[in-house]
């Protein structure tokens, strides 16, 4: 499907994609950690070599100091991994930065996943999807939407109804869910925080408590 807009520098976008035929693209915690590392190392203008990965524990690759800020293709403000899809909140740095980044990201992870699971062919459902966060209210809303997505794992039936009937249980699940940027926004310090560049996004949440209140407001909202 043709997008109705072109990516533009200094603009914000919600980018997402899922597995082909809605298949799961993350089968293990190792898969999820691999994708997080890809978010870090693929966000660079330099070429990725397989030798960069060999013999190195994945968590160490978050400490890769060779990726300088000037080499980044995009800026990431939030992310979330779900069993069969992912969500990213991205700022375009320069022309075609998002497209280059997503090509490297999905190609790198697909090669890993196919080799690990002895499969061939496309892993993702065509080109990635994107929505332009063209106004401030929608951009702020995306911080809630992306970070609340794991509630779908916890309570899929009510998620489809846009309901969170047990906000306290949902919040506990989110607090324990490692594979999104939620823990970073509530004040945790993690190696994977290097993925994010909050400085270029509006400072909606100056303190962790403000972010927690924002999430609570949405979790307790019923149409």
């Amino acid at each position: 499907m043709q997008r109705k807009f072109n990516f533009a520098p200094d603009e914000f976008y919600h980018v997402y994609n899922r597995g082909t035929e809605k298949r799961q693209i993350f089968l293990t915690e190792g898969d999820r950690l691999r994708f997080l590392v890809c978010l870090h190392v693929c966000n660079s203008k330099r070429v990725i070599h397989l030798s960069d990965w060999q013999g190195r524990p994945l968590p160490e690759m978050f400490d890769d100091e060779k990726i300088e800020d000037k080499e980044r293709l995009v800026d990431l403000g939030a992310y979330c991994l779900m069993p069969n899809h992912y969500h990213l909140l991205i700022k375009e740095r320069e022309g075609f930065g998002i497209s280059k980044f997503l090509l490297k990201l999905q190609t790198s992870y697909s090669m890993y996943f196919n080799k690990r699971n002895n499969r061939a062919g496309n892993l993702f459902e065509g080109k990635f999807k994107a929505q332009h966060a063209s106004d401030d209210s929608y951009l702020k809303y995306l911080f809630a939407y992306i970070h609340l997505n794991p509630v779908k794992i916890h309570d899929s039936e009510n998620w489809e109804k846009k309901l969170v009937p047990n906000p306290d249980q949902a919040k506990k699940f989110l607090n324990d869910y490692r594979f999104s940027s939620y823990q970073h926004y509530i004040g945790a310090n993690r190696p994977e925080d290097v993925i994010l560049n909050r400085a270029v996004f509006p400072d909606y949440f100056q303190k962790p408590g403000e972010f927690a209140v924002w999430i609570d407001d949405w979790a307790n909202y019923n149409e």
Side-chain angles (χ1 to χ4, degrees), residues 160-210:
E160 297 302 325
K161 300 175 184 176
K162 304 289 192 271
L163 298 175
V164 183
N166 297 298
D168 290 340
Q169 293 181 16
K171 187 172 182 179
K172 183 180 186 306
F173 185 82
L174 291 174
N175 287 342
D176 294 335
Y177 190 74
R178 176 184 176 187
F179 300 104
S180 82
S181 47
Y182 179 91
Q183 291 185 354
H184 169 78
Y185 277 92
I186 62 173
N189 293 314
R190 309 179 301 164
E192 52 265 47
D193 291 342
V194 70
I195 294 169
L196 304 172
N197 184 6
R198 290 180 60 179
V200 303
F201 288 78
D203 194 8
Y204 297 128
F205 317 107
Q206 296 183 10
K207 299 177 181 179
E210 295 176 359

Side-chain angles (χ1 to χ4, degrees), residues 4-149:
K4 296 181 180 180
F5 60 85
N6 294 318
F7 294 116
D10 298 323
E11 292 293 311
F12 302 100
Y13 301 91
H14 174 207
V15 174
Y16 50 98
N17 207 353
R18 67 183 180 186
T20 184
E21 299 176 342
K22 301 182 181 180
R23 68 162 296 138
Q24 291 195 9
I25 57 176
F26 305 115
L27 304 179
T28 67
E29 285 205 0
D31 291 346
R32 295 176 179 87
L33 181 57
R34 178 80 177 211
F35 192 86
L36 293 185
V37 172
C38 286
L39 285 177
H40 174 49
V41 301
C42 292
N43 189 10
S44 170
K45 296 177 183 178
R46 61 186 174 90
V47 178
I48 296 174
H49 300 283
L50 290 177
S51 59
D52 294 339
W53 302 79
Q54 294 173 352
R56 299 183 62 187
L58 286 177
E60 284 187 5
M61 298 192 70
F62 291 122
D63 297 325
D64 191 346
E65 297 178 355
K66 293 183 293 184
I67 304 178
E68 299 180 3
D69 182 70
K70 64 182 180 180
E71 296 179 318
R72 295 291 187 185
L73 294 168
V74 299
D75 292 306
L76 289 166
Y79 63 85
C80 180
L81 278 53
M82 298 290 287
N84 72 344
H85 64 282
Y86 65 81
H87 294 273
L88 306 174
L89 185 56
I90 295 183
K91 181 183 179 184
E92 175 91 322
R93 278 193 165 206
E94 58 185 50
F96 303 103
I98 289 177
S99 297
K100 291 175 183 177
F101 171 60
L102 267 294
L103 176 61
K104 293 177 72 174
L105 174 68
Q106 293 194 165
T107 299
S108 177
Y109 183 75
S110 295
M111 290 175 63
Y112 153 80
F113 187 91
N114 284 353
K115 182 176 181 180
R116 179 177 176 84
N117 295 284
N118 193 29
R119 72 178 297 273
N122 294 330
L123 176 62
F124 293 97
E125 189 179 66
K127 295 182 179 180
F128 64 90
K129 316 318 187 278
Q131 295 288 334
H132 183 201
S134 56
D135 64 78
D136 193 65
S137 60
Y138 181 55
L139 178 60
K140 187 176 182 181
Y141 158 76
L142 285 171
F143 281 93
Y145 176 78
I146 290 173
H147 288 119
L148 279 168
N149 238 256

